[in-house]
Amino acid sequence: MLMLSLSTSGPIASAAVIKDGQVLSREVGGHGRTHSETIMPLCEKALQTAGYTPDDMDAFGVDAGPGSFTGVRIGISAAKGLAAARNLPCVEVSTLLSLAFNYRDTDCIVCAVMDARCSQVYNAIFEISGGKITRLCEDRAVLCEELAENLKKVSQNGEKRVIIVGDGTEVFFPFAENIPGVCKSSPERRYQNAVSASLAAEAIFKNNLSVTPDKLLPVYLRLPQAERELKKKKEVSL
């Protein structure tokens, strides 16, 4: 299958084209501009490098969150537009799952963390063995202290290698650095990217879990800050 995937949930935007598990092209951008300005040019360049057009695609993938609320919306909107114009399916990928694909060639436990502020991280844990990725928990927003306690069990007192991945690594690692077997990911494999999102999307698509463009929705795990503050004000006024 042939797929173009987008990643805009973090500070760096990227696009990639894969065909049957082979990466044909990848483009990364940012340079201080917003993802709304960069993502479509990145898609166009990735397609041009791969030698295809949007009409050639079988589906469009996107990391649908969690992540930057604005960034996630931009990626979802771009994927919706590309797919709807061609009546093609979309594949929504958990950003946390795509982070696990950064270590798809390594037998380990991946603890994906993204900074959710207020001593919390967005998190999911995956076990990778022989290239197979098995989810050990659902995506969640969790306190750093609680996750550290969870990892003590997961690491089995150092028998399992646990790699912390994601933009919440530096925030969370101080809570887990004394747990046997737990280490930080290398910087070059730490962040979400369109290649990993593409590979995750391809696996999801093969399981017949794609959606129509109108069903593609962002995954926040919790309300945006503005909505949380409004909800709090309403509760106080009652």
Side-chain angles (χ1 to χ4, degrees):
M1 70 164 300
L2 193 59
M3 181 184 295
L4 168 69
S5 290
L6 300 65
S7 176
T8 59
S9 61
I12 303 298
S14 58
V17 177
I18 66 166
K19 183 177 183 180
D20 298 328
Q22 179 183 0
V23 180
L24 302 183
S25 65
R26 69 187 81 189
E27 296 295 333
V28 179
H31 310 295
R33 293 185 293 170
T34 66
H35 293 347
S36 61
E37 296 176 304
T38 59
I39 190 58
M40 292 311 296
L42 289 175
C43 290
E44 291 171 5
K45 192 170 182 181
L47 287 164
Q48 184 178 31
T49 300
Y52 292 99
T53 71
D55 295 339
D56 298 319
M57 299 299 108
D58 294 309
F60 296 91
V62 61
D63 58 357
S68 159
F69 292 119
T70 301
V72 167
R73 287 195 296 270
I74 290 169
I76 291 289
S77 297
K80 276 177 175 284
L82 286 165
R86 297 162 180 85
N87 196 29
L88 290 172
C90 295
V91 182
E92 56 183 37
V93 178
S94 159
T95 307
L96 297 166
L97 174 61
S98 74
L99 286 166
F101 271 78
N102 289 359
Y103 278 89
R104 61 192 176 277
D105 59 352
T106 305
D107 285 359
C108 63
I109 301 289
V110 166
C111 177
V113 289
M114 301 177 69
D115 188 7
R117 304 183 184 274
C118 303
S119 297
Q120 286 188 319
V121 288
Y122 300 123
N123 165 254
I125 302 173
F126 306 86
E127 183 167 15
I128 304 176
S129 179
K132 180 182 178 182
I133 299 176
T134 302
R135 179 183 282 276
L136 300 184
C137 71
E138 294 303 311
D139 292 0
R140 57 189 176 172
V142 61
L143 288 169
C144 291
E145 295 92 337
E146 183 180 339
L147 177 56
E149 288 299 317
N150 191 187
L151 287 191
K152 289 178 183 178
K153 299 176 183 178
V154 171
S155 69
Q156 298 179 15
N157 199 32
E159 292 186 14
K160 296 279 190 177
R161 181 188 180 197
V162 180
I163 302 177
I164 310 299
V165 183
D167 66 27
T169 296
E170 297 300 336
V171 172
F172 171 67
F173 190 68
F175 294 87
E177 59 185 337
N178 294 322
I179 302 174
V182 175
C183 64
K184 292 191 288 187
S185 61
S186 59
E188 62 270 17
R189 299 177 107 181
R190 185 171 296 178
Y191 303 101
Q192 62 264 53
N193 61 82
V195 169
S196 291
S198 288
L199 295 171
E202 183 179 62
I204 293 169
F205 185 85
K206 287 179 179 178
N207 286 323
N208 298 314
L209 295 175
S210 61
V211 297
T212 55
D214 59 302
K215 301 291 185 182
L216 182 64
L217 297 172
V219 177
Y220 294 134
L221 293 187
R222 67 181 191 185
L223 293 172
Q225 180 68 26
E227 291 186 32
R228 294 200 304 272
E229 291 179 359
L230 178 60
K231 182 180 179 181
K232 188 181 295 184
K233 287 180 180 179
K234 288 182 178 178
E235 289 173 349
V236 170
S237 65
L238 291 177

